[in-house]
Amino acid sequence: MIDNTVRAPPSDSSGVTGKICDWVYSVELKDIPEEIKTHTKYLILDGIACAVVGAQLPWSKTATNALFKMEGPGDCTVIGWDRCISPLNAALINSTFIQGFELDDVHADAPWHANSIILPSLFAAAEHSRQGEDQHRAFDGKSFLLSTIVGFEIGSRVGHALHGSEMLSRGWHSGAVFGPPAAAVAVSKMLNLSPEQTEDAIGTACTQACGLMSAQYESMSKRMQHGFAARNGLFAALMSKESYTGIDKVFERPYGGYLSTFGQGSAKDPTYLTEKLVTDLGESWRGLDGIKVKPYASMIATHSPIDCIAALQARYPNEFANPSSIRNVIIEQSKAPHAHGGQEVKRPLNAVGAQMSTRYTTAVQLLDRVVLMDQFNATNISRESLWEIVDKVDCVWNPEFDEKSAWYTRVTVVFEDGPAVVKEASQPSTYGSPLSNERIRKKWSMLADSVMDADKRDAIEALVLNLETVEDIDEILQLLSGKVKNPIETN
């Protein structure tokens, strides 16, 4: 194994891959602005909230039980199950939990779900690395926080380099593509790998990047695709730690490189933006700043229509008092959100398809005036009154909106009697008016209360929001290991 106390340089320190590796190795927690450190702790709390809520959902149980049948017990925590599994499968399944109910974070202009990539890979790396001769090794909260920040920033910059949401328009599940190198650099930082080893990890991670957006229609595997990225990035870093080499200069290779290959088919000119990876790296935190927390339990492309309907309901309370008085609803959107959520939906519909559907979530907001967990249990999905509204919703791609913004939306509601009402939004509300740290904490409390007792909730919150004082992140994992409830179980 390479002695990673020796600073072995990357293959080319002047190239973008090399610059990333040098920065990942050298950045220290004191280099990070206080507001970034504080907000990251709240983002971590939100990721943990999504994990504990997702752990015992029906589709999560199916995935977890299948993994347990494939292999015996391991040394890494399966959140909310009181069981352990191998590091790679721990990263896979814990990520699947975070993505389990579409409540997790999303990046505003480089769509990926950062917590579902970074937290599971770091948790698994920490637990796996304390085995054998390193059994007394501890990873403190400062190391965990810094490694999370590194992963969040690099993953977002990778998305910017591939024109962000344009990847969705071309059918890629963007986060599953952006995620492997992000997980690789986060784990490399926590394990203190040299720049040379980090470059190998990035190269091995990037060659495993993939994800098809057709998973959104009905498959359980949609929940797992960020898990593939978390697992693959972790795998790459652990292999690099043991001297296994990967692709050098993977971001700038013109043939078979990460950007050159995923840029193929792009309608943009140029098809990728290499310098987005490193411009003002360590000075600007635009990558991490773009990570937003969801207020609704649905895919982000559905959020602007929900926002518009909610605004119209508040402005015209009398007109919206009786949803049956609505003749039809027209949702016009830019290409990316329309392609992502504008598909037709028919019964029977499962929770995955419902959460991915602009038609369904618009109808839910019109009928229930809230889009949270209960709206996606089997009983509520099958309501006749809801489907009467779903059938009145039309989704349209408006090419003119592509010039306005990637998420531009216009909602027109036509009533049986009276004039139509219209509301437009340039982006989801959580992009323009992000949830404050206090609102994120309240979301954590609401979600945690649905699956665990108040004492455990408060203990987890105290540790996460005071990460710099935590001597060993195993304290957090011990609290996360106990079995939790299914939040949507109906008795």
Side-chain angles (χ1 to χ4, degrees):
M1 184 174 73
I2 294 172
D3 179 4
N4 50 354
T5 62
V6 177
R7 187 188 186 284
S11 61
D12 179 7
S13 289
S14 65
V16 292
T17 307
K19 289 178 181 178
I20 289 171
C21 297
D22 283 333
W23 178 77
V24 169
Y25 181 81
S26 63
V27 67
E28 299 179 24
L29 198 59
K30 65 181 178 60
D31 302 325
I32 312 298
E34 284 299 322
E35 64 271 18
I36 294 295
K37 288 186 283 191
T38 297
H39 187 56
T40 299
K41 288 184 285 187
Y42 282 90
L43 290 176
I44 292 170
L45 189 67
D46 187 69
I48 290 173
C50 295
V52 296
V53 161
Q56 293 292 337
L57 294 169
W59 42 91
S60 296
K61 289 182 179 180
T62 299
T64 307
N65 287 325
L67 290 181
F68 284 140
K69 286 182 179 180
M70 292 180 203
E71 61 176 50
D75 47 43
C76 296
T77 298
V78 177
I79 293 172
W81 274 73
D82 197 23
R83 294 183 68 175
C84 291
I85 203 167
S86 70
L88 299 183
N89 277 333
L92 173 67
I93 200 61
N94 288 331
S95 171
T96 303
F97 297 165
I98 294 174
Q99 269 269 278
F101 219 104
E102 290 297 323
L103 279 161
D104 56 327
D105 63 272
V106 64
H107 198 283
D109 49 14
W112 72 304
H113 305 285
N115 271 317
S116 70
I117 302 287
I118 304 303
L119 300 191
S121 58
L122 289 178
F123 281 145
E127 290 190 292
H128 177 67
S129 296
R130 69 166 73 240
Q131 305 305 313
E133 61 185 30
D134 292 329
Q135 61 182 301
H136 300 298
R137 184 177 186 181
F139 293 91
D140 62 24
K142 291 180 181 179
S143 173
F144 186 84
L145 177 59
L146 178 58
S147 301
T148 300
I149 291 170
V150 165
F152 282 1
E153 181 65 23
I154 295 300
S156 302
R157 285 171 173 265
V158 170
H160 289 147
L162 284 169
H163 295 287
S165 61
E166 202 248 354
M167 290 288 284
L168 289 173
S169 300
R170 293 194 281 128
W172 291 108
H173 193 174
S174 51
V177 174
F178 307 156
V185 297
V187 174
S188 295
K189 182 61 180 178
M190 195 168 72
L191 299 182
N192 194 34
L193 301 190
S194 71
E196 178 186 41
Q197 290 172 295
T198 301
E199 181 174 23
D200 287 327
I202 293 172
T204 301
C206 284
T207 199
Q208 301 176 83
C210 188
L212 300 177
M213 207 54 252
S214 56
Q216 74 177 28
Y217 296 120
E218 66 284 308
S219 74
M220 292 181 182
S221 64
K222 192 276 171 190
R223 319 278 191 189
M224 190 175 278
Q225 290 191 152
H226 276 64
F228 299 149
R231 177 196 64 190
N232 294 345
L234 170 65
F235 171 80
L238 294 179
M239 292 297 286
S240 181
K241 179 174 178 286
E242 301 300 328
S243 307
Y244 194 83
T245 60
I247 302 169
D248 288 342
K249 296 175 280 193
V250 70
F251 287 128
E252 56 262 49
R253 295 280 189 186
Y255 171 73
Y258 176 88
L259 296 179
S260 61
T261 300
F262 280 111
Q264 292 179 22
S266 172
K268 300 289 186 177
D269 184 18
T271 56
Y272 56 92
L273 304 165
T274 308
E275 289 304 313
K276 289 283 188 180
L277 291 167
V278 294
T279 300
D280 297 327
L281 182 60
E283 299 174 15
S284 166
W285 299 93
R286 179 170 174 261
L288 194 150
D289 279 339
I291 299 171
K292 310 300 181 184
V293 172
K294 288 183 181 180
Y296 311 126
S298 59
M299 180 265 295
I300 193 63
T302 70
H303 283 218
S304 288
I306 296 170
D307 290 334
C308 289
I309 292 294
L312 290 170
Q313 287 171 319
R315 185 173 180 181
Y316 304 103
N318 294 333
E319 287 83 347
F320 284 90
N322 180 12
S324 64
S325 68
I326 295 171
R327 179 183 299 168
N328 74 304
V329 181
I330 303 166
I331 311 287
E332 300 170 78
Q333 290 188 289
S334 306
K335 185 175 182 180
H338 173 71
H340 204 8
Q343 67 277 2
E344 290 190 18
V345 287
K346 302 292 183 183
R347 287 184 281 185
L349 185 67
N350 63 18
V352 176
Q355 290 176 300
M356 299 295 114
S357 169
T358 300
R359 286 176 165 85
Y360 180 89
T361 52
T362 296
V364 162
Q365 177 62 35
L366 285 166
L367 187 63
D368 297 342
R369 297 178 181 247
V370 66
V371 185
L372 292 173
M373 291 182 290
D374 283 349
Q375 277 63 49
F376 301 96
N377 65 41
T379 299
N380 281 332
I381 289 175
S382 63
R383 287 176 292 172
E384 193 66 36
S385 58
L386 180 65
W387 281 93
E388 289 176 0
I389 302 175
V390 171
D391 290 340
K392 296 178 180 180
V393 180
D394 295 316
C395 294
V396 180
W397 169 36
N398 188 328
E400 295 179 3
F401 289 179
D402 295 341
E403 303 300 318
K404 293 177 177 286
S405 81
W407 300 98
Y408 205 90
T409 298
R410 178 193 292 148
V411 174
T412 304
V413 181
V414 181
F415 296 95
E416 294 291 351
D417 298 306
V421 294
V422 180
K423 178 66 177 176
E424 297 186 7
S426 61
Q427 60 187 354
S429 61
T430 194
Y431 290 179
S433 301
L435 268 64
S436 65
N437 289 341
E438 177 57 21
R439 287 184 66 194
I440 294 172
R441 191 195 66 78
K442 288 181 178 178
K443 177 185 171 186
W444 149 256
S445 295
M446 177 191 72
L447 296 181
D449 285 346
S450 70
V451 297
M452 65 176 62
D453 63 56
D455 288 343
K456 181 179 285 191
R457 177 202 67 201
D458 292 344
I460 293 169
E461 179 181 323
L463 288 171
V464 173
L465 297 185
N466 296 280
L467 261 179
E468 294 95 330
T469 68
V470 175
E471 295 182 359
D472 188 343
I473 62 166
D474 190 57
E475 295 178 58
I476 298 173
L477 285 162
Q478 288 295 320
L479 289 168
L480 295 178
S481 64
K483 192 168 184 179
V484 295
K485 302 173 187 175
N486 176 356
I488 62 169
E489 196 165 43
T490 55
N491 296 317

